[in-house]
Amino acid sequence: MAYKSMATHSFRNFSTVSSFCNASTISRTTYPMTSTFRPTLLHSISVASRSVSVAAGSFTWDDVVHVSLPESFQDDPSDLTGYFEKVKLCNRGSDTQSEILPFVIDDQIVGYVHHGFAKHLKQYPNVFTFPRDDSVKFGAYLTLHESLKTPKDRTLAVGDVVKCLGEKVIPGTRNELYPVTSSFGAPNFFSLERAAAPYFGIKPQGIPCGENLMKECEEEAGIPRSISKEAIPVGAISYTDIKGYGYKRDVQFCYDLKLPEDFIPENQDGEVEGFMLLPVANVANVIRRTQLFKPNCSLVIMDFLFRHGYIKPESSGYLELLQSLRSGTCF
């Protein structure tokens, strides 16, 4: 696959991700730089071992290009430290695992709940119970009341609790339901408000990955389905992010899509700020040197860099970094 520099003004390869945990998550890798960069929100960036400060709103695409150039900073491309930092940002809170209870339905773990959030659920004993049986594999755990037998009953009961807890406990409710399962492709136990999913440690899933990919390609870059249907699934990344009472167990499915030479991406839903064509090696520099990409999008790009030989086995920490891209549970 041939990759061209910015001077070509073309958009030749679109590597993207369909997220098991969030249907709206889509990341572009290769050399295009897109909505993962938000210059209006940026106050500073970290470049190699030094910090470059800029006024809020003053960081531009020209600055991104400058940071990406190999000659801009005297750093070592084989130094994987910057990549490891992105993995660490996606896997916060590992030291708080002891504060998490498994959420179990029909002897299957469907999620995890922080003790602090569990205190709110204890106000609703007709919906949630907290058994403890050290003779079984779960120990102390959260489950639904035995009277809630059907997916419909569970959905209504848990939905009522989410509404009662309100915005102060679960902000951002949007009346969008996600199915709750024990693993990818398993039967649904019930459906849960999307905003509540991180508080229950749920891996939400909705439409099939391939369908989600085509939907997001069209919405975010104007790629017609006649082209996006040719996307090739190339694997997945995973991570676990514990922040406050939220427990995110994200799995993102990665795809590569080669676009026509003359294709120009155009955002359709207002969620993408812009597109920039850069060589792959330059995008790698932005990932290594800065935090301009969202950390989870950086992981997708790192996966691409491994698969296409831009991160090499000669680099110290190669295998550790490769393994860290799938440090979350992939089931």
Side-chain angles (χ1 to χ4, degrees), residues 14-303:
F14 188 90
S15 180
T16 187
V17 59
S18 174
S19 174
F20 172 28
C21 32
N22 187 336
S24 67
T25 301
I26 185 168
S27 168
R28 302 122 205 97
T29 66
T30 336
Y31 43 67
M33 297 189 57
T34 59
S35 61
T36 53
F37 166 58
R38 301 286 187 181
T40 58
L41 301 180
L42 186 69
H43 291 266
S44 65
I45 62 172
S46 173
V47 179
S49 60
R50 54 183 289 196
S51 177
V52 178
S53 297
V54 293
S58 68
F59 208 76
T60 68
W61 285 116
D62 288 339
D63 296 311
V64 176
V65 173
H66 174 68
V67 169
S68 77
L69 297 175
E71 62 270 21
S72 292
F73 301 93
Q74 299 302 313
D75 56 355
D76 181 3
S78 67
D79 183 358
L80 304 183
T81 302
Y83 297 127
F84 277 109
E85 290 174 353
K86 308 308 180 296
V87 173
K88 185 176 180 180
L89 286 171
C90 288
N91 290 276
R92 296 174 298 182
S94 59
D95 58 333
T96 63
Q97 287 282 356
S98 61
E99 301 174 23
I100 304 295
L101 285 172
F103 180 20
V104 178
I105 299 178
D106 293 346
D107 205 38
Q108 299 290 318
I109 294 179
V110 299
Y112 293 88
V113 175
H114 191 279
H115 285 296
F117 182 68
K119 291 179 180 178
H120 295 289
L121 303 183
K122 288 180 179 179
Q123 303 174 57
Y124 307 92
N126 292 331
V127 179
F128 297 102
T129 61
F130 293 82
R132 181 179 184 90
D133 186 349
D134 292 328
S135 66
V136 298
K137 56 184 176 182
F138 305 123
Y141 62 98
L142 166 70
T143 190
L144 296 179
H145 194 277
E146 59 182 8
S147 65
L148 301 174
K149 301 291 187 182
T150 68
K152 180 179 179 180
D153 290 341
R154 294 164 176 168
T155 298
L156 292 174
V158 176
D160 286 342
V161 171
V162 171
K163 290 178 181 177
C164 289
L165 292 177
E167 289 287 317
K168 288 186 177 180
V169 178
I170 303 177
T173 56
R174 60 199 77 180
N175 296 317
E176 182 179 349
L177 295 178
Y178 275 172
V180 176
T181 71
S182 59
S183 61
F184 181 62
N188 299 337
F189 290 109
F190 70 101
S191 296
L192 177 69
E193 159 65 38
R194 174 178 174 178
Y199 295 92
F200 286 91
I202 301 299
K203 290 183 173 180
Q205 58 177 316
I207 61 178
C209 292
E211 178 64 26
N212 186 50
L213 172 103
M214 291 188 288
K215 168 181 172 291
E216 295 291 345
C217 281
E218 190 168 26
E219 291 178 358
E220 298 203 6
I223 302 175
R225 291 180 175 235
S226 59
I227 295 177
S228 61
K229 69 179 182 180
E230 302 299 326
I232 301 171
V234 293
I237 64 164
S238 63
Y239 54 92
T240 302
D241 182 13
I242 305 175
K243 181 182 179 182
Y245 293 163
Y247 190 103
K248 294 180 64 178
R249 300 182 296 142
D250 284 5
V251 176
Q252 294 183 325
F253 293 92
C254 303
Y255 291 77
D256 283 352
L257 174 61
K258 188 174 182 178
L259 296 173
E261 188 79 33
D262 59 352
F263 181 83
I264 304 296
E266 294 184 7
N267 178 240
Q268 306 298 311
D269 61 5
E271 294 184 3
V272 173
E273 187 161 325
F275 296 88
M276 171 67 71
L277 179 63
L278 289 172
V280 182
N282 291 42
V283 174
N285 287 337
V286 176
I287 298 300
R288 287 191 307 105
R289 294 170 172 172
T290 78
Q291 295 185 19
L292 295 179
F293 280 86
K294 288 174 58 181
N296 62 344
C297 295
S298 293
L299 300 194
V300 177
I301 297 173
M302 290 159 56
D303 177 75

